[in-house]
């Protein structure tokens, strides 16, 4: 025979331990991951600037050649 009180106590303790785990489990991120993300973002931004500058220079040079000739 099972005791009803014991089953309720076990359920309550499980819920209490889950609440404690949720409260104590803070999201932490490794600083190296953050730094790598910043480096990758800088590289992407630099590549975008290079591509944009190349297309802008090509457009300007093609327009000058078109109007000169």
């Amino acid at each position: 025979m099972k005791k009803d009180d014991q089953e309720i106590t076990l359920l309550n303790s499980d819920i209490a331990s889950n609440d404690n785990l949720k409260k104590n489990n803070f999201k932490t991120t490794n600083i190296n991951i953050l730094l790598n993300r910043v480096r990758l973002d800088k590289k992407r931004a630099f590549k975008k600037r290079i591509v944009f500058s190349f297309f802008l220079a090509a457009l300007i040079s093609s327009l000058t050649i078109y109007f000169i000739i």
Side-chain angles (χ1 to χ4, degrees):
M1 246 184 160
K2 291 183 181 178
K3 291 184 180 178
D4 291 332
D5 294 336
Q6 183 180 8
E7 189 173 313
I8 292 171
T9 306
L10 289 176
L11 290 175
N12 288 339
S13 67
D14 288 340
I15 292 170
S17 66
N18 286 339
D19 288 340
N20 289 336
L21 287 175
K22 288 178 185 177
K23 289 178 185 175
N24 293 333
N25 190 7
F26 296 108
K27 282 190 172 182
T28 58
T29 305
N30 192 351
I31 191 70
N32 290 329
I33 294 171
L34 295 174
L35 291 174
N36 288 337
R37 186 179 303 157
V38 169
R39 287 184 195 127
L40 289 175
D41 288 343
K42 285 183 180 179
K43 285 182 183 179
R44 288 183 194 130
F46 181 72
K47 287 180 183 179
K48 287 180 183 178
R49 288 184 194 137
I50 294 293
V51 170
F52 179 73
S53 300
F54 175 74
F55 282 123
L56 187 63
L59 178 69
I60 291 173
S61 63
S62 64
L63 285 176
T64 56
I65 291 172
Y66 176 75
F67 286 119
I68 291 175
I69 296 177

